[in-house]
Amino acid sequence: MTLAIKTEKIIQLLKKSYPDAKCALSYQNTFQLLVATMLSARTTDATVNQVTSQLFVKYPDAQELAKAQLSDVEKLIKQVNFYKTKAKNLIEMARILVQKFDAQVPNQIQQLIDLPGVGRKTANVVLGNAFAVSSGIVVDTHVKRLTQRLGLTNQHNPIKIEQELMAIVPPSERVQFAHLLIAHGRAVCKAQRPICQECNLSSLCCRFIKNQCIL
């Protein structure tokens, strides 16, 4: 079985288990998605959603956030990890949007990556969920763990993992692929104690078919 065929089988099985898999961050527009994704680095989505429920009331768009005082933003996002750095990046990001992009979030990956605090993962989240652009695949901790366990990659670097996945995941499935793996990673294929007896991917998993697998 080729990796491309195996990947398609994984996608179809996960779609049956998680038909409504989607981004877990709460947002009302593209700018808010960008902000929430920037905050989500090393922080749970649940914590980010708690923080943004207050942050977006005071700073609903780039124009308002660009005028914010650093100390005010720090207080509002203090629950997230690295909140001081993130607060600084958020304000600078908003200022650049206002100055260069008429306060709109760009839909080009390089323009997104050039923004302070925005890496490739964040850019892929925004492009996929806000613009339906599958220029890449989101590789977070769940996607990295599951693709290794399933034998889809033996890479450790997220960029290299993404490159390998891009070769085997159809363009039409790239956005949903990450959502499906994240949902399965949270519910079943957990980092410390995967619930293998409840996994519908067991016939495709390295742990069961006795191939080399990174755990």
Side-chain angles (χ1 to χ4, degrees):
M1 185 188 304
T2 67
L3 285 180
I5 293 175
K6 180 177 181 178
T7 301
E8 182 59 31
K9 290 180 178 292
I10 289 169
I11 292 171
Q12 295 309 315
L13 287 170
L14 290 178
K15 282 184 175 180
K16 292 180 180 179
S17 296
Y18 312 99
D20 301 317
K22 61 181 181 180
C23 180
L25 296 170
S26 298
Y27 61 96
Q28 297 297 319
N29 53 53
T30 306
F31 172 74
Q32 292 184 1
L33 174 60
L34 174 57
V35 170
T37 309
M38 290 172 65
L39 291 173
S40 69
R42 303 292 183 89
T43 302
T44 66
D45 290 346
T47 298
V48 172
N49 289 339
Q50 290 178 353
V51 167
T52 55
S53 66
Q54 301 178 54
L55 182 69
F56 292 153
V57 171
K58 190 167 185 179
Y59 307 111
D61 51 40
Q63 291 97 329
E64 292 301 317
L65 186 56
K67 298 182 292 186
Q69 294 295 316
L70 180 60
S71 59
D72 292 338
V73 176
E74 286 179 349
K75 290 176 183 177
L76 286 170
I77 69 169
K78 197 169 184 177
Q79 289 176 265
V80 306
N81 290 323
F82 310 108
Y83 73 94
K84 288 183 178 292
T85 299
K86 290 178 180 179
K88 181 180 178 181
N89 285 336
L90 286 176
I91 294 173
E92 185 59 26
M93 174 274 293
R95 288 174 178 169
I96 292 174
L97 291 186
V98 171
Q99 294 167 4
K100 295 186 177 181
F101 300 101
D102 195 27
Q104 301 301 307
V105 177
N107 62 358
Q108 301 296 317
I109 190 164
Q110 192 56 55
Q111 291 176 331
L112 284 167
I113 292 174
D114 286 342
L115 295 171
V118 177
R120 187 168 180 87
K121 186 188 83 170
T122 295
N124 282 331
V125 170
V126 172
L127 289 173
N129 291 279
F131 298 106
V133 174
S134 58
S135 61
I137 295 174
V138 173
V139 179
D140 73 344
T141 55
H142 295 291
V143 174
K144 178 180 179 180
R145 180 175 73 254
L146 269 66
T147 53
Q148 290 174 336
R149 287 179 173 176
L150 290 165
L152 301 183
T153 181
N154 59 8
Q155 300 291 339
H156 293 272
N157 182 286
I159 294 178
K160 291 183 178 180
I161 291 173
E162 182 184 1
Q163 290 172 343
E164 293 196 347
L165 294 178
M166 291 283 282
I168 58 176
V169 179
S172 61
E173 301 285 8
R174 287 172 183 168
V175 175
Q176 194 63 11
F177 180 71
H179 293 323
L180 292 168
L181 290 182
I182 291 169
H184 194 60
R186 287 172 173 162
V188 177
C189 195
K190 302 179 181 183
Q192 299 301 322
R193 295 183 179 180
I195 312 173
C196 298
Q197 64 272 22
E198 296 181 11
C199 182
N200 66 343
L201 302 181
S202 58
S203 64
L204 299 169
C205 181
C206 297
R207 300 185 71 189
F208 285 83
I209 60 178
K210 308 303 181 182
N211 286 340
Q212 184 178 4
C213 185
I214 301 171
L215 298 173

